[in-house]
């Protein structure tokens, strides 16, 4: 096989959305804004900061507008918001000068999509095509994330061909970036390598992003497999916050600091200052008052002991 590791990768921090969304206790808006501020000082260039979902469905993100209004923008940091449907887009567009991109999402498998958003895959696709088109008309960048791309907790195997067909439709609708989500931590590295190798052939000109969860401890191994075939865009969550609303037990995204540490040790640049990122992760751990899944928060960075 050809071996063409990227020498620079993009990391989108999704903790303020994917992470906070799964916290049972509502985090005060001011604390969210403070933590996002810390993350914006790390050199991160992409961050998903909130979601315009129905407040009665996800009370934790009911303050989406207040969060966006509270964030002090930093040049070069692209902010995105997660949009579930056209009504969510309508609400987000009222604050259009406060963000740069939207993320839309659906699951590749029928039963996960039904459990998560109560729609069929075809209904979701049709709805997202409209959201993407309108977001593009408004001048926003657009990422479409396909959850359960590597397996479904209810159905098991998901055919890659089926995932590529969904991705092609979302790309045709105007999504310049497609995220492939392993929302419930079912992917393995060999599967990931084969998946992305074919995905690049099927989706020329589209940015392909890997969104791995560390639910079963395979997150970074999956990152390595994706790197091997040229994936250069990843999503992760500080502290290893995160999860999936369904089913229960679908724990954390890969930790941003674990990802960044591994990449830097391998000589792959991210533009992120690891000590500052660790400060942000330590701050969210302190706020939540429990040990988070992040390995670096426990062990410290590799050069930590020498430097003290
Ligand atoms: Zn996720």
């Amino acid at each position: 096989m050809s071996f063409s590791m990227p020498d620079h990768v993009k990391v989108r921090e999704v903790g303020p959305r994917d992470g906070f969304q799964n916290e049972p206790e509502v985090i005060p808006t001011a604390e969210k804004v403070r933590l996002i501020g810390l993350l914006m000082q790390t050199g991160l260039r992409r961050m998903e900061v909130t979601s315009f979902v129905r407040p009665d469905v996800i009370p934790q993100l009911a303050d989406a507008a207040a969060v966006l209004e509270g964030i002090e923008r930093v040049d070069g940091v692209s902010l995105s918001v997660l949009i579930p449907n056209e009504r969510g887009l309508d609400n987000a567009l009222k604050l259009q000068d406060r963000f740069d991109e939207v993320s839309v999402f659906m699951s590749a498998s029928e039963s996960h999509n039904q459990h998560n958003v109560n729609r069929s895959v075809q209904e979701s696709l049709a709805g997202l095509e409209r959201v993407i088109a309108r977001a593009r008309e408004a001048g926003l960048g657009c990422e479409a994330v396909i959850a359960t791309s590597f397996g479904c907790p209810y159905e098991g195997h998901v055919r890659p061909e089926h995932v590529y067909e969904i991705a092609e439709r979302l790309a045709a609708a105007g999504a310049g970036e497609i995220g492939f989500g392993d929302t419930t931590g079912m992917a393995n590295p060999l599967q990931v390598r084969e998946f992305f190798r074919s995905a690049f052939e099927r989706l020329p000109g589209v940015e392909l992003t890997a969104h791995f969860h560390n639910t079963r401890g395979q997150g970074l191994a999956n990152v390595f497999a994706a790197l091997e075939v040229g994936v250069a865009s990843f999503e992760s969550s500080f502290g290893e916050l995160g999860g999936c609303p369904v089913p229960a037990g679908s724990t954390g995204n890969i930790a941003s600091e674990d990802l960044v540490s591994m990449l830097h040790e391998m000589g792959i640049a991210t533009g992120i200052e690891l000590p500052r990122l660790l400060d942000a992760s330590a701050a969210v751990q302190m706020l939540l008052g429990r040990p988070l899944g992040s390995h670096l928060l426990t062990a410290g960075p590799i050069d930590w002991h020498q430097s003290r």
Side-chain angles (χ1 to χ4, degrees):
M1 60 170 275
S2 65
F3 194 81
S4 58
M5 288 265 191
D7 53 16
H8 186 281
V9 307
K10 295 179 177 176
V11 175
R12 180 181 285 113
E13 170 62 47
V14 297
R17 198 282 304 166
D18 206 332
F20 293 171
Q21 175 178 330
N22 289 282
E23 289 299 319
E25 306 237 341
V26 173
I27 301 167
T29 305
E31 291 295 334
K32 295 178 183 173
V33 170
R34 181 177 69 89
L35 291 164
I36 291 167
L38 290 176
L39 289 166
M40 288 175 75
Q41 298 304 323
T42 62
L44 274 162
R45 285 288 170 263
R46 287 175 155 181
M47 198 180 339
E48 190 173 284
V49 290
T50 189
S51 175
F52 283 83
V53 286
R54 266 171 48 195
D56 56 318
V57 178
I58 304 181
Q60 179 69 262
L61 301 180
D63 60 357
V67 167
L68 278 181
E69 282 166 342
I71 295 172
E72 201 162 318
R73 299 297 305 266
V74 171
D75 273 355
V77 182
S78 179
L79 301 183
S80 68
V81 297
L82 191 75
I83 300 291
N85 51 37
E86 286 194 271
R87 189 168 55 178
L89 182 66
D90 290 336
N91 290 331
L93 287 177
K94 293 173 192 159
L95 290 156
Q96 205 197 321
D97 58 330
R98 305 297 298 162
F99 62 96
D100 312 283
E101 305 175 84
V102 298
S103 282
V104 300
F105 65 98
M106 60 180 288
S107 303
S109 58
E110 287 294 340
S111 34
H112 193 270
N113 207 56
Q114 285 288 355
H115 277 92
N116 201 27
V117 294
N118 202 24
R119 267 177 261 169
S120 73
V121 164
Q122 286 304 322
E123 285 166 345
S124 270
L125 253 178
L128 295 192
E129 285 174 331
R130 290 194 297 274
V131 172
I132 292 167
R134 287 188 51 206
R136 292 301 304 270
E137 272 169 30
L140 295 162
C142 191
E143 179 203 19
V145 177
I146 306 172
T148 65
S149 284
F150 304 93
C152 169
Y154 308 107
E155 296 175 26
H157 182 67
V158 173
R159 283 188 312 114
E161 182 61 33
H162 173 64
V163 182
Y164 301 146
E165 283 166 10
I166 293 171
E168 284 171 340
R169 274 192 53 186
L170 295 169
E177 178 186 356
I178 306 284
F180 296 98
D182 184 29
T183 326
T184 57
M186 293 176 69
N188 70 68
L190 285 180
Q191 174 193 14
V192 164
R193 193 167 68 188
E194 292 313 308
F195 180 93
F196 277 106
R197 197 203 303 268
S198 300
F200 277 113
E201 288 168 14
R202 293 290 296 266
L203 297 154
V206 178
E207 181 174 23
L208 305 188
T209 293
H211 179 115
F212 295 128
H213 282 233
N214 204 31
T215 319
R216 294 181 174 83
Q218 289 162 201
L220 290 184
N222 289 331
V223 168
F224 184 78
L227 287 167
E228 280 190 309
V229 291
V231 174
S233 172
F234 294 90
E235 293 181 337
S236 58
S237 182
F238 68 151
E240 204 178 282
L241 295 176
C244 182
V246 287
S250 305
T251 52
N253 291 63
I254 53 172
S256 301
E257 54 272 29
D258 293 354
L259 170 68
V260 168
S261 173
M262 184 181 89
L263 293 169
H264 289 183
E265 290 297 319
M266 295 196 305
I268 299 173
T270 65
I272 295 167
E273 291 179 54
L274 187 55
R276 288 185 176 217
L277 179 56
L278 270 167
D279 286 346
S281 301
V284 75
Q285 179 168 255
M286 173 97 71
L287 175 74
L288 297 175
R290 65 169 198 276
L292 302 180
S294 157
H295 288 79
L296 254 74
L297 270 181
T298 303
I302 284 170
D303 60 3
W304 191 83
H305 296 284
Q306 291 108 293
S307 67
R308 272 167 178 78

